PDB file of all heavy atoms in Angstrom:
ATOM      1  N   ASP R 148       0.809  -1.222   0.000  1.00  0.00           N
ATOM      2  CA  ASP R 148       0.000   0.000   0.000  1.00  0.00           C
ATOM      3  C   ASP R 148       0.843   1.274   0.000  1.00  0.00           C
ATOM      4  O   ASP R 148       0.330   2.356   0.301  1.00  0.00           O
ATOM      5  CB  ASP R 148      -0.942   0.008   1.200  1.00  0.00           C
ATOM      6  CG  ASP R 148      -0.197  -0.014   2.539  1.00  0.00           C
ATOM      7  OD1 ASP R 148       1.037  -0.204   2.528  1.00  0.00           O
ATOM      8  OD2 ASP R 148      -0.853   0.164   3.576  1.00  0.00           O
ATOM      9  N   ILE R 149       2.102   1.175  -0.353  1.00  0.00           N
ATOM     10  CA  ILE R 149       2.956   2.361  -0.366  1.00  0.00           C
ATOM     11  C   ILE R 149       2.431   3.369  -1.384  1.00  0.00           C
ATOM     12  O   ILE R 149       1.948   3.006  -2.466  1.00  0.00           O
ATOM     13  CB  ILE R 149       4.422   1.990  -0.680  1.00  0.00           C
ATOM     14  CG1 ILE R 149       5.346   3.193  -0.434  1.00  0.00           C
ATOM     15  CG2 ILE R 149       4.577   1.452  -2.104  1.00  0.00           C
ATOM     16  CD1 ILE R 149       6.831   2.837  -0.479  1.00  0.00           C
ATOM     17  N   ALA R 150       2.488   4.646  -1.016  1.00  0.00           N
ATOM     18  CA  ALA R 150       2.031   5.699  -1.928  1.00  0.00           C
ATOM     19  C   ALA R 150       3.085   5.939  -3.004  1.00  0.00           C
ATOM     20  O   ALA R 150       4.231   5.496  -2.900  1.00  0.00           O
ATOM     21  CB  ALA R 150       1.765   6.986  -1.146  1.00  0.00           C
ATOM     22  N   THR R 151       2.687   6.657  -4.045  1.00  0.00           N
ATOM     23  CA  THR R 151       3.608   7.031  -5.113  1.00  0.00           C
ATOM     24  C   THR R 151       3.352   8.462  -5.530  1.00  0.00           C
ATOM     25  O   THR R 151       2.210   8.941  -5.480  1.00  0.00           O
ATOM     26  CB  THR R 151       3.481   6.108  -6.334  1.00  0.00           C
ATOM     27  OG1 THR R 151       4.393   6.545  -7.362  1.00  0.00           O
ATOM     28  CG2 THR R 151       2.062   6.109  -6.902  1.00  0.00           C
ATOM     29  N   THR R 152       4.402   9.153  -5.911  1.00  0.00           N
ATOM     30  CA  THR R 152       4.260  10.508  -6.458  1.00  0.00           C
ATOM     31  C   THR R 152       3.878  10.469  -7.928  1.00  0.00           C
ATOM     32  O   THR R 152       3.563  11.495  -8.510  1.00  0.00           O
ATOM     33  CB  THR R 152       5.589  11.274  -6.336  1.00  0.00           C
ATOM     34  OG1 THR R 152       6.577  10.637  -7.163  1.00  0.00           O
ATOM     35  CG2 THR R 152       6.090  11.303  -4.901  1.00  0.00           C
ATOM     36  N   ASN R 153       3.916   9.298  -8.519  1.00  0.00           N
ATOM     37  CA  ASN R 153       3.740   9.162  -9.966  1.00  0.00           C
ATOM     38  C   ASN R 153       2.289   9.307 -10.405  1.00  0.00           C
ATOM     39  O   ASN R 153       1.352   8.991  -9.657  1.00  0.00           O
ATOM     40  CB  ASN R 153       4.222   7.784 -10.429  1.00  0.00           C
ATOM     41  CG  ASN R 153       5.731   7.666 -10.471  1.00  0.00           C
ATOM     42  OD1 ASN R 153       6.308   7.278 -11.466  1.00  0.00           O
ATOM     43  ND2 ASN R 153       6.398   7.987  -9.363  1.00  0.00           N
ATOM     44  N   ALA R 154       2.115   9.716 -11.652  1.00  0.00           N
ATOM     45  CA  ALA R 154       0.806   9.630 -12.290  1.00  0.00           C
ATOM     46  C   ALA R 154       0.425   8.153 -12.380  1.00  0.00           C
ATOM     47  O   ALA R 154       1.301   7.299 -12.573  1.00  0.00           O
ATOM     48  CB  ALA R 154       0.852  10.250 -13.679  1.00  0.00           C
ATOM     49  N   PRO R 155      -0.849   7.807 -12.248  1.00  0.00           N
ATOM     50  CA  PRO R 155      -1.245   6.392 -12.241  1.00  0.00           C
ATOM     51  C   PRO R 155      -0.983   5.674 -13.556  1.00  0.00           C
ATOM     52  O   PRO R 155      -1.016   4.447 -13.605  1.00  0.00           O
ATOM     53  CB  PRO R 155      -2.747   6.448 -11.938  1.00  0.00           C
ATOM     54  CG  PRO R 155      -3.173   7.825 -12.284  1.00  0.00           C
ATOM     55  CD  PRO R 155      -1.992   8.710 -12.026  1.00  0.00           C
ATOM     56  N   THR R 156      -0.691   6.418 -14.608  1.00  0.00           N
ATOM     57  CA  THR R 156      -0.423   5.806 -15.914  1.00  0.00           C
ATOM     58  C   THR R 156       1.030   5.401 -16.093  1.00  0.00           C
ATOM     59  O   THR R 156       1.380   4.780 -17.110  1.00  0.00           O
ATOM     60  CB  THR R 156      -0.797   6.799 -17.035  1.00  0.00           C
ATOM     61  OG1 THR R 156      -0.169   8.064 -16.772  1.00  0.00           O
ATOM     62  CG2 THR R 156      -2.309   7.003 -17.091  1.00  0.00           C
ATOM     63  N   ILE R 157       1.890   5.718 -15.123  1.00  0.00           N
ATOM     64  CA  ILE R 157       3.325   5.435 -15.258  1.00  0.00           C
ATOM     65  C   ILE R 157       3.581   4.024 -14.755  1.00  0.00           C
ATOM     66  O   ILE R 157       4.012   3.801 -13.617  1.00  0.00           O
ATOM     67  CB  ILE R 157       4.171   6.480 -14.503  1.00  0.00           C
ATOM     68  CG1 ILE R 157       3.772   7.891 -14.911  1.00  0.00           C
ATOM     69  CG2 ILE R 157       5.655   6.251 -14.761  1.00  0.00           C
ATOM     70  CD1 ILE R 157       3.962   8.197 -16.400  1.00  0.00           C
ATOM     71  N   THR R 158       3.328   3.037 -15.627  1.00  0.00           N
ATOM     72  CA  THR R 158       3.320   1.631 -15.201  1.00  0.00           C
ATOM     73  C   THR R 158       4.318   0.752 -15.946  1.00  0.00           C
ATOM     74  O   THR R 158       4.230  -0.473 -15.894  1.00  0.00           O
ATOM     75  CB  THR R 158       1.907   1.058 -15.373  1.00  0.00           C
ATOM     76  OG1 THR R 158       1.464   1.284 -16.719  1.00  0.00           O
ATOM     77  CG2 THR R 158       0.924   1.713 -14.415  1.00  0.00           C
ATOM     78  N   GLY R 159       5.262   1.357 -16.661  1.00  0.00           N
ATOM     79  CA  GLY R 159       6.305   0.572 -17.324  1.00  0.00           C
ATOM     80  C   GLY R 159       5.977   0.142 -18.738  1.00  0.00           C
ATOM     81  O   GLY R 159       6.655  -0.734 -19.293  1.00  0.00           O
ATOM     82  N   ASP R 160       4.975   0.762 -19.358  1.00  0.00           N
ATOM     83  CA  ASP R 160       4.560   0.358 -20.705  1.00  0.00           C
ATOM     84  C   ASP R 160       5.695   0.442 -21.721  1.00  0.00           C
ATOM     85  O   ASP R 160       5.873  -0.455 -22.552  1.00  0.00           O
ATOM     86  CB  ASP R 160       3.402   1.237 -21.202  1.00  0.00           C
ATOM     87  CG  ASP R 160       2.182   1.148 -20.309  1.00  0.00           C
ATOM     88  OD1 ASP R 160       2.254   0.449 -19.292  1.00  0.00           O
ATOM     89  OD2 ASP R 160       1.164   1.785 -20.620  1.00  0.00           O
ATOM     90  N   GLY R 161       6.456   1.541 -21.665  1.00  0.00           N
ATOM     91  CA  GLY R 161       7.516   1.731 -22.655  1.00  0.00           C
ATOM     92  C   GLY R 161       8.622   0.701 -22.526  1.00  0.00           C
ATOM     93  O   GLY R 161       9.196   0.263 -23.527  1.00  0.00           O
ATOM     94  N   ILE R 162       8.925   0.316 -21.287  1.00  0.00           N
ATOM     95  CA  ILE R 162       9.945  -0.715 -21.079  1.00  0.00           C
ATOM     96  C   ILE R 162       9.470  -2.041 -21.667  1.00  0.00           C
ATOM     97  O   ILE R 162      10.224  -2.751 -22.345  1.00  0.00           O
ATOM     98  CB  ILE R 162      10.270  -0.855 -19.579  1.00  0.00           C
ATOM     99  CG1 ILE R 162      10.934   0.436 -19.063  1.00  0.00           C
ATOM    100  CG2 ILE R 162      11.186  -2.052 -19.329  1.00  0.00           C
ATOM    101  CD1 ILE R 162      11.125   0.480 -17.572  1.00  0.00           C
ATOM    102  N   LYS R 163       8.211  -2.361 -21.452  1.00  0.00           N
ATOM    103  CA  LYS R 163       7.648  -3.596 -22.006  1.00  0.00           C
ATOM    104  C   LYS R 163       7.654  -3.565 -23.535  1.00  0.00           C
ATOM    105  O   LYS R 163       7.954  -4.572 -24.189  1.00  0.00           O
ATOM    106  CB  LYS R 163       6.228  -3.805 -21.484  1.00  0.00           C
ATOM    107  CG  LYS R 163       6.160  -4.017 -19.979  1.00  0.00           C
ATOM    108  CD  LYS R 163       4.713  -4.047 -19.491  1.00  0.00           C
ATOM    109  CE  LYS R 163       4.638  -4.120 -17.971  1.00  0.00           C
ATOM    110  NZ  LYS R 163       3.243  -4.038 -17.470  1.00  0.00           N
ATOM    111  N   LEU R 164       7.338  -2.409 -24.119  1.00  0.00           N
ATOM    112  CA  LEU R 164       7.371  -2.282 -25.581  1.00  0.00           C
ATOM    113  C   LEU R 164       8.786  -2.478 -26.101  1.00  0.00           C
ATOM    114  O   LEU R 164       9.005  -3.148 -27.116  1.00  0.00           O
ATOM    115  CB  LEU R 164       6.830  -0.906 -26.008  1.00  0.00           C
ATOM    116  CG  LEU R 164       5.324  -0.682 -25.848  1.00  0.00           C
ATOM    117  CD1 LEU R 164       4.984   0.788 -26.083  1.00  0.00           C
ATOM    118  CD2 LEU R 164       4.541  -1.562 -26.811  1.00  0.00           C
ATOM    119  N   GLY R 165       9.755  -1.869 -25.426  1.00  0.00           N
ATOM    120  CA  GLY R 165      11.141  -2.043 -25.837  1.00  0.00           C
ATOM    121  C   GLY R 165      11.578  -3.487 -25.775  1.00  0.00           C
ATOM    122  O   GLY R 165      12.295  -3.986 -26.652  1.00  0.00           O
ATOM    123  N   GLN R 166      11.120  -4.184 -24.751  1.00  0.00           N
ATOM    124  CA  GLN R 166      11.483  -5.593 -24.610  1.00  0.00           C
ATOM    125  C   GLN R 166      10.835  -6.444 -25.703  1.00  0.00           C
ATOM    126  O   GLN R 166      11.349  -7.519 -26.017  1.00  0.00           O
ATOM    127  CB  GLN R 166      11.093  -6.083 -23.214  1.00  0.00           C
ATOM    128  CG  GLN R 166      11.984  -5.498 -22.121  1.00  0.00           C
ATOM    129  CD  GLN R 166      11.553  -5.882 -20.714  1.00  0.00           C
ATOM    130  OE1 GLN R 166      10.359  -5.932 -20.405  1.00  0.00           O
ATOM    131  NE2 GLN R 166      12.518  -6.165 -19.851  1.00  0.00           N
ATOM    132  N   GLN R 167       9.719  -5.976 -26.284  1.00  0.00           N
ATOM    133  CA  GLN R 167       9.153  -6.669 -27.447  1.00  0.00           C
ATOM    134  C   GLN R 167      10.170  -6.728 -28.587  1.00  0.00           C
ATOM    135  O   GLN R 167      10.203  -7.678 -29.365  1.00  0.00           O
ATOM    136  CB  GLN R 167       7.890  -5.956 -27.951  1.00  0.00           C
ATOM    137  CG  GLN R 167       6.674  -6.078 -27.071  1.00  0.00           C
ATOM    138  CD  GLN R 167       5.492  -5.306 -27.655  1.00  0.00           C
ATOM    139  OE1 GLN R 167       5.532  -4.845 -28.802  1.00  0.00           O
ATOM    140  NE2 GLN R 167       4.451  -5.149 -26.853  1.00  0.00           N
ATOM    141  N   ALA R 168      10.986  -5.678 -28.651  1.00  0.00           N
ATOM    142  CA  ALA R 168      12.009  -5.599 -29.716  1.00  0.00           C
ATOM    143  C   ALA R 168      13.358  -6.104 -29.216  1.00  0.00           C
ATOM    144  O   ALA R 168      14.388  -5.813 -29.814  1.00  0.00           O
ATOM    145  CB  ALA R 168      12.131  -4.165 -30.210  1.00  0.00           C
ATOM    146  N   HIS R 169      13.344  -6.862 -28.098  1.00  0.00           N
ATOM    147  CA  HIS R 169      14.544  -7.489 -27.542  1.00  0.00           C
ATOM    148  C   HIS R 169      15.540  -6.472 -26.998  1.00  0.00           C
ATOM    149  O   HIS R 169      16.754  -6.707 -27.021  1.00  0.00           O
ATOM    150  CB  HIS R 169      15.211  -8.390 -28.578  1.00  0.00           C
ATOM    151  CG  HIS R 169      14.257  -9.360 -29.227  1.00  0.00           C
ATOM    152  ND1 HIS R 169      13.625 -10.364 -28.527  1.00  0.00           N
ATOM    153  CD2 HIS R 169      13.812  -9.452 -30.508  1.00  0.00           C
ATOM    154  CE1 HIS R 169      12.833 -11.039 -29.347  1.00  0.00           C
ATOM    155  NE2 HIS R 169      12.924 -10.513 -30.549  1.00  0.00           N
ATOM    156  N   ALA R 170      15.029  -5.344 -26.503  1.00  0.00           N
ATOM    157  CA  ALA R 170      15.903  -4.334 -25.904  1.00  0.00           C
ATOM    158  C   ALA R 170      16.481  -4.837 -24.586  1.00  0.00           C
ATOM    159  O   ALA R 170      15.842  -5.600 -23.850  1.00  0.00           O
ATOM    160  CB  ALA R 170      15.123  -3.045 -25.665  1.00  0.00           C
ATOM    161  N   GLY R 171      17.688  -4.394 -24.280  1.00  0.00           N
ATOM    162  CA  GLY R 171      18.281  -4.675 -22.995  1.00  0.00           C
ATOM    163  C   GLY R 171      17.791  -3.696 -21.952  1.00  0.00           C
ATOM    164  O   GLY R 171      17.262  -2.620 -22.282  1.00  0.00           O
ATOM    165  N   VAL R 172      17.930  -4.048 -20.682  1.00  0.00           N
ATOM    166  CA  VAL R 172      17.581  -3.149 -19.586  1.00  0.00           C
ATOM    167  C   VAL R 172      18.772  -3.061 -18.638  1.00  0.00           C
ATOM    168  O   VAL R 172      19.635  -3.939 -18.612  1.00  0.00           O
ATOM    169  CB  VAL R 172      16.330  -3.626 -18.815  1.00  0.00           C
ATOM    170  CG1 VAL R 172      15.097  -3.559 -19.693  1.00  0.00           C
ATOM    171  CG2 VAL R 172      16.526  -5.035 -18.257  1.00  0.00           C
ATOM    172  N   THR R 173      18.798  -1.996 -17.861  1.00  0.00           N
ATOM    173  CA  THR R 173      19.909  -1.791 -16.933  1.00  0.00           C
ATOM    174  C   THR R 173      19.416  -1.119 -15.665  1.00  0.00           C
ATOM    175  O   THR R 173      18.515  -0.276 -15.703  1.00  0.00           O
ATOM    176  CB  THR R 173      21.015  -0.932 -17.586  1.00  0.00           C
ATOM    177  OG1 THR R 173      22.110  -0.811 -16.695  1.00  0.00           O
ATOM    178  CG2 THR R 173      20.513   0.451 -17.946  1.00  0.00           C
ATOM    179  N   GLY R 174      19.982  -1.510 -14.526  1.00  0.00           N
ATOM    180  CA  GLY R 174      19.715  -0.843 -13.255  1.00  0.00           C
ATOM    181  C   GLY R 174      18.305  -0.954 -12.735  1.00  0.00           C
ATOM    182  O   GLY R 174      17.870  -0.119 -11.933  1.00  0.00           O
ATOM    183  N   MET R 175      17.579  -1.999 -13.106  1.00  0.00           N
ATOM    184  CA  MET R 175      16.155  -2.074 -12.794  1.00  0.00           C
ATOM    185  C   MET R 175      15.857  -2.196 -11.300  1.00  0.00           C
ATOM    186  O   MET R 175      14.753  -1.883 -10.856  1.00  0.00           O
ATOM    187  CB  MET R 175      15.529  -3.248 -13.539  1.00  0.00           C
ATOM    188  CG  MET R 175      15.521  -3.108 -15.051  1.00  0.00           C
ATOM    189  SD  MET R 175      14.403  -1.827 -15.629  1.00  0.00           S
ATOM    190  CE  MET R 175      12.820  -2.639 -15.415  1.00  0.00           C
ATOM    191  N   GLY R 176      16.797  -2.645 -10.508  1.00  0.00           N
ATOM    192  CA  GLY R 176      16.523  -2.873  -9.093  1.00  0.00           C
ATOM    193  C   GLY R 176      16.568  -1.634  -8.225  1.00  0.00           C
ATOM    194  O   GLY R 176      16.167  -1.675  -7.061  1.00  0.00           O
ATOM    195  N   PHE R 177      17.049  -0.513  -8.768  1.00  0.00           N
ATOM    196  CA  PHE R 177      17.236   0.693  -7.961  1.00  0.00           C
ATOM    197  C   PHE R 177      16.006   1.595  -8.065  1.00  0.00           C
ATOM    198  O   PHE R 177      15.723   2.166  -9.118  1.00  0.00           O
ATOM    199  CB  PHE R 177      18.506   1.430  -8.388  1.00  0.00           C
ATOM    200  CG  PHE R 177      19.752   0.696  -7.982  1.00  0.00           C
ATOM    201  CD1 PHE R 177      20.332  -0.233  -8.830  1.00  0.00           C
ATOM    202  CD2 PHE R 177      20.317   0.915  -6.736  1.00  0.00           C
ATOM    203  CE1 PHE R 177      21.478  -0.932  -8.456  1.00  0.00           C
ATOM    204  CE2 PHE R 177      21.458   0.220  -6.344  1.00  0.00           C
ATOM    205  CZ  PHE R 177      22.034  -0.699  -7.207  1.00  0.00           C
ATOM    206  N   ILE R 178      15.281   1.700  -6.970  1.00  0.00           N
ATOM    207  CA  ILE R 178      14.033   2.453  -6.890  1.00  0.00           C
ATOM    208  C   ILE R 178      14.240   3.636  -5.954  1.00  0.00           C
ATOM    209  O   ILE R 178      14.678   3.462  -4.814  1.00  0.00           O
ATOM    210  CB  ILE R 178      12.890   1.569  -6.346  1.00  0.00           C
ATOM    211  CG1 ILE R 178      12.847   0.208  -7.053  1.00  0.00           C
ATOM    212  CG2 ILE R 178      11.559   2.307  -6.420  1.00  0.00           C
ATOM    213  CD1 ILE R 178      12.612   0.251  -8.538  1.00  0.00           C
ATOM    214  N   GLN R 179      13.936   4.837  -6.431  1.00  0.00           N
ATOM    215  CA  GLN R 179      14.100   6.004  -5.571  1.00  0.00           C
ATOM    216  C   GLN R 179      12.795   6.354  -4.861  1.00  0.00           C
ATOM    217  O   GLN R 179      11.728   6.353  -5.473  1.00  0.00           O
ATOM    218  CB  GLN R 179      14.543   7.227  -6.378  1.00  0.00           C
ATOM    219  CG  GLN R 179      14.799   8.446  -5.504  1.00  0.00           C
ATOM    220  CD  GLN R 179      15.381   9.608  -6.270  1.00  0.00           C
ATOM    221  OE1 GLN R 179      14.656  10.347  -6.925  1.00  0.00           O
ATOM    222  NE2 GLN R 179      16.700   9.769  -6.198  1.00  0.00           N
ATOM    223  N   MET R 180      12.908   6.618  -3.575  1.00  0.00           N
ATOM    224  CA  MET R 180      11.797   7.131  -2.783  1.00  0.00           C
ATOM    225  C   MET R 180      11.912   8.655  -2.694  1.00  0.00           C
ATOM    226  O   MET R 180      13.010   9.188  -2.576  1.00  0.00           O
ATOM    227  CB  MET R 180      11.816   6.543  -1.375  1.00  0.00           C
ATOM    228  CG  MET R 180      11.728   5.035  -1.305  1.00  0.00           C
ATOM    229  SD  MET R 180      10.096   4.437  -1.748  1.00  0.00           S
ATOM    230  CE  MET R 180      10.405   2.654  -1.794  1.00  0.00           C
ATOM    231  N   MET R 181      10.782   9.326  -2.764  1.00  0.00           N
ATOM    232  CA  MET R 181      10.754  10.749  -2.444  1.00  0.00           C
ATOM    233  C   MET R 181      10.467  10.850  -0.955  1.00  0.00           C
ATOM    234  O   MET R 181       9.368  10.516  -0.504  1.00  0.00           O
ATOM    235  CB  MET R 181       9.678  11.486  -3.234  1.00  0.00           C
ATOM    236  CG  MET R 181       9.462  12.933  -2.787  1.00  0.00           C
ATOM    237  SD  MET R 181      10.966  13.956  -2.744  1.00  0.00           S
ATOM    238  CE  MET R 181      11.172  14.277  -4.479  1.00  0.00           C
ATOM    239  N   PRO R 182      11.453  11.267  -0.163  1.00  0.00           N
ATOM    240  CA  PRO R 182      11.281  11.233   1.297  1.00  0.00           C
ATOM    241  C   PRO R 182      10.215  12.191   1.803  1.00  0.00           C
ATOM    242  O   PRO R 182       9.582  11.922   2.830  1.00  0.00           O
ATOM    243  CB  PRO R 182      12.666  11.605   1.824  1.00  0.00           C
ATOM    244  CG  PRO R 182      13.332  12.322   0.697  1.00  0.00           C
ATOM    245  CD  PRO R 182      12.795  11.730  -0.556  1.00  0.00           C
ATOM    246  N   VAL R 183      10.009  13.320   1.098  1.00  0.00           N
ATOM    247  CA  VAL R 183       9.123  14.364   1.629  1.00  0.00           C
ATOM    248  C   VAL R 183       7.779  14.357   0.901  1.00  0.00           C
ATOM    249  O   VAL R 183       7.321  15.366   0.368  1.00  0.00           O
ATOM    250  CB  VAL R 183       9.791  15.755   1.544  1.00  0.00           C
ATOM    251  CG1 VAL R 183      10.920  15.843   2.542  1.00  0.00           C
ATOM    252  CG2 VAL R 183      10.314  16.048   0.137  1.00  0.00           C
ATOM    253  N   SER R 184       7.106  13.212   0.901  1.00  0.00           N
ATOM    254  CA  SER R 184       5.814  13.073   0.230  1.00  0.00           C
ATOM    255  C   SER R 184       4.668  13.108   1.233  1.00  0.00           C
ATOM    256  O   SER R 184       4.850  12.817   2.419  1.00  0.00           O
ATOM    257  CB  SER R 184       5.764  11.754  -0.548  1.00  0.00           C
ATOM    258  OG  SER R 184       6.768  11.712  -1.537  1.00  0.00           O
ATOM    259  N   ASP R 185       3.483  13.441   0.720  1.00  0.00           N
ATOM    260  CA  ASP R 185       2.284  13.430   1.553  1.00  0.00           C
ATOM    261  C   ASP R 185       2.001  12.000   2.009  1.00  0.00           C
ATOM    262  O   ASP R 185       2.011  11.068   1.201  1.00  0.00           O
ATOM    263  CB  ASP R 185       1.093  13.966   0.745  1.00  0.00           C
ATOM    264  CG  ASP R 185      -0.152  14.130   1.589  1.00  0.00           C
ATOM    265  OD1 ASP R 185      -0.791  13.112   1.901  1.00  0.00           O
ATOM    266  OD2 ASP R 185      -0.502  15.281   1.909  1.00  0.00           O
ATOM    267  N   PRO R 186       1.762  11.765   3.304  1.00  0.00           N
ATOM    268  CA  PRO R 186       1.584  10.400   3.806  1.00  0.00           C
ATOM    269  C   PRO R 186       0.423   9.649   3.163  1.00  0.00           C
ATOM    270  O   PRO R 186       0.466   8.420   3.059  1.00  0.00           O
ATOM    271  CB  PRO R 186       1.326  10.610   5.309  1.00  0.00           C
ATOM    272  CG  PRO R 186       1.922  11.931   5.622  1.00  0.00           C
ATOM    273  CD  PRO R 186       1.725  12.757   4.387  1.00  0.00           C
ATOM    274  N   LYS R 187      -0.626  10.363   2.756  1.00  0.00           N
ATOM    275  CA  LYS R 187      -1.804   9.703   2.201  1.00  0.00           C
ATOM    276  C   LYS R 187      -1.791   9.633   0.684  1.00  0.00           C
ATOM    277  O   LYS R 187      -2.113   8.604   0.092  1.00  0.00           O
ATOM    278  CB  LYS R 187      -3.075  10.424   2.670  1.00  0.00           C
ATOM    279  CG  LYS R 187      -3.310  10.324   4.171  1.00  0.00           C
ATOM    280  CD  LYS R 187      -4.612  11.004   4.560  1.00  0.00           C
ATOM    281  CE  LYS R 187      -4.871  10.882   6.068  1.00  0.00           C
ATOM    282  NZ  LYS R 187      -6.137  11.568   6.469  1.00  0.00           N
ATOM    283  N   THR R 188      -1.438  10.728   0.039  1.00  0.00           N
ATOM    284  CA  THR R 188      -1.577  10.812  -1.417  1.00  0.00           C
ATOM    285  C   THR R 188      -0.276  10.604  -2.178  1.00  0.00           C
ATOM    286  O   THR R 188      -0.294  10.356  -3.377  1.00  0.00           O
ATOM    287  CB  THR R 188      -2.148  12.187  -1.813  1.00  0.00           C
ATOM    288  OG1 THR R 188      -1.179  13.201  -1.494  1.00  0.00           O
ATOM    289  CG2 THR R 188      -3.445  12.471  -1.073  1.00  0.00           C
ATOM    290  N   GLY R 189       0.871  10.753  -1.497  1.00  0.00           N
ATOM    291  CA  GLY R 189       2.150  10.709  -2.192  1.00  0.00           C
ATOM    292  C   GLY R 189       2.513  12.020  -2.841  1.00  0.00           C
ATOM    293  O   GLY R 189       3.604  12.161  -3.403  1.00  0.00           O
ATOM    294  N   GLU R 190       1.630  12.995  -2.768  1.00  0.00           N
ATOM    295  CA  GLU R 190       1.874  14.285  -3.415  1.00  0.00           C
ATOM    296  C   GLU R 190       3.110  14.955  -2.817  1.00  0.00           C
ATOM    297  O   GLU R 190       3.379  14.860  -1.624  1.00  0.00           O
ATOM    298  CB  GLU R 190       0.658  15.195  -3.229  1.00  0.00           C
ATOM    299  CG  GLU R 190       0.783  16.545  -3.912  1.00  0.00           C
ATOM    300  CD  GLU R 190      -0.355  17.491  -3.541  1.00  0.00           C
ATOM    301  OE1 GLU R 190      -1.221  17.089  -2.745  1.00  0.00           O
ATOM    302  OE2 GLU R 190      -0.356  18.623  -4.046  1.00  0.00           O
ATOM    303  N   ILE R 191       3.853  15.654  -3.670  1.00  0.00           N
ATOM    304  CA  ILE R 191       5.059  16.332  -3.200  1.00  0.00           C
ATOM    305  C   ILE R 191       4.750  17.715  -2.649  1.00  0.00           C
ATOM    306  O   ILE R 191       5.263  18.121  -1.619  1.00  0.00           O
ATOM    307  CB  ILE R 191       6.091  16.458  -4.342  1.00  0.00           C
ATOM    308  CG1 ILE R 191       6.411  15.089  -4.931  1.00  0.00           C
ATOM    309  CG2 ILE R 191       7.361  17.123  -3.835  1.00  0.00           C
ATOM    310  CD1 ILE R 191       7.299  15.156  -6.149  1.00  0.00           C
ATOM    311  N   PHE R 192       3.891  18.448  -3.346  1.00  0.00           N
ATOM    312  CA  PHE R 192       3.779  19.872  -3.036  1.00  0.00           C
ATOM    313  C   PHE R 192       2.540  20.253  -2.245  1.00  0.00           C
ATOM    314  O   PHE R 192       1.875  21.221  -2.543  1.00  0.00           O
ATOM    315  CB  PHE R 192       3.904  20.697  -4.318  1.00  0.00           C
ATOM    316  CG  PHE R 192       5.310  20.689  -4.820  1.00  0.00           C
ATOM    317  CD1 PHE R 192       5.684  19.832  -5.825  1.00  0.00           C
ATOM    318  CD2 PHE R 192       6.275  21.472  -4.226  1.00  0.00           C
ATOM    319  CE1 PHE R 192       6.999  19.777  -6.257  1.00  0.00           C
ATOM    320  CE2 PHE R 192       7.595  21.416  -4.642  1.00  0.00           C
ATOM    321  CZ  PHE R 192       7.953  20.568  -5.666  1.00  0.00           C
TER     322      PHE R 192
END
């Protein structure tokens, strides 16, 4: 149930499309948290 600052449409579609064409990926395990987000909505500002 962790919140996100992201728009709900940011779900990795482009990465999946690239992989359709056998694209390589790099650094996928590193996820950045925004420390100063709204506790309920994830909003920054």
Side-chain angles (χ1 to χ4, degrees):
D148 61 351
I149 191 170
T151 179
T152 65
N153 285 232
T156 51
I157 308 299
T158 53
D160 300 2
I162 294 172
K163 296 173 186 175
L164 289 170
Q166 289 176 321
Q167 289 179 10
H169 309 295
V172 294
T173 183
M175 294 291 285
F177 289 90
I178 313 299
Q179 183 174 81
M180 301 289 172
M181 171 53 77
V183 289
S184 299
D185 186 284
K187 294 183 179 179
T188 67
E190 182 188 1
I191 304 174
F192 288 99

